[in-house]
Amino acid sequence: MLMHLSEDLRGYAYEIFVTKFDGWLVFGILAQLVFGARFILQWLESEKAGRSVIPLSFWFLSIAGGLMTLVYGLVRREPVLIFGQALSTGIYLRNVSLILKEKRRKPESDPGTDVVS
């Protein structure tokens, strides 16, 4: 039974990473890496500040990774990715809009801001 499962997993991995390998797969993986990098960035900025912060660059990585994943979903005709990333990217754009609007209202020296650039 374990041998059969091992062979099935090997065949599955081969199909996904070898048979279906093309430039779009590389692009999709890169999109996920960009998207995931935002959490590493957020964690590092929070450690540096000694509190939980969401830097503006987090939202830019969210937008870039979301748009890349949306393009990948459109090319691959994946409705789950298309729906999820179209909605999410709109929310990321709105967050950036709100942050920039708040920055214009507050002086740069205001220590009360929660956004670290």
Side-chain angles (χ1 to χ4, degrees):
M1 180 174 162
L2 286 178
M3 289 298 290
H4 185 59
L5 179 61
S6 174
E7 290 171 13
D8 287 346
L9 287 174
R10 205 169 324 141
Y12 180 78
Y14 183 84
E15 179 184 345
I16 291 173
F17 295 108
V18 177
T19 305
K20 293 185 175 185
F21 184 84
D22 63 5
W24 284 111
L25 178 63
V26 173
F27 181 84
I29 291 170
L30 181 61
Q32 287 298 84
L33 291 173
V34 169
F35 197 68
R38 67 199 184 125
F39 290 112
I40 295 169
L41 176 76
Q42 190 272 332
W43 169 58
L44 293 173
E45 289 293 324
S46 292
E47 289 294 333
K48 189 166 79 174
R51 62 186 177 88
S52 182
V53 296
I54 299 177
L56 185 58
S57 50
F58 173 92
W59 297 110
F60 287 121
L61 282 173
S62 297
I63 292 166
L67 287 174
M68 290 172 73
T69 305
L70 177 59
V71 167
Y72 177 80
L74 289 167
V75 168
R76 295 292 190 169
R77 298 173 187 240
E78 294 283 346
V80 172
L81 291 178
I82 294 167
F83 178 74
Q85 291 307 316
L87 179 62
S88 298
T89 302
I91 293 168
Y92 306 146
L93 287 165
R94 179 62 178 150
N95 273 299
V96 169
S97 168
L98 292 170
I99 291 167
L100 295 176
K101 183 176 159 184
E102 182 179 344
K103 279 190 169 203
R104 284 190 296 270
R105 275 195 309 228
K106 287 185 177 182
E108 286 294 324
S109 61
D110 185 357
T113 184
D114 284 3
V115 179
V116 176
S117 299

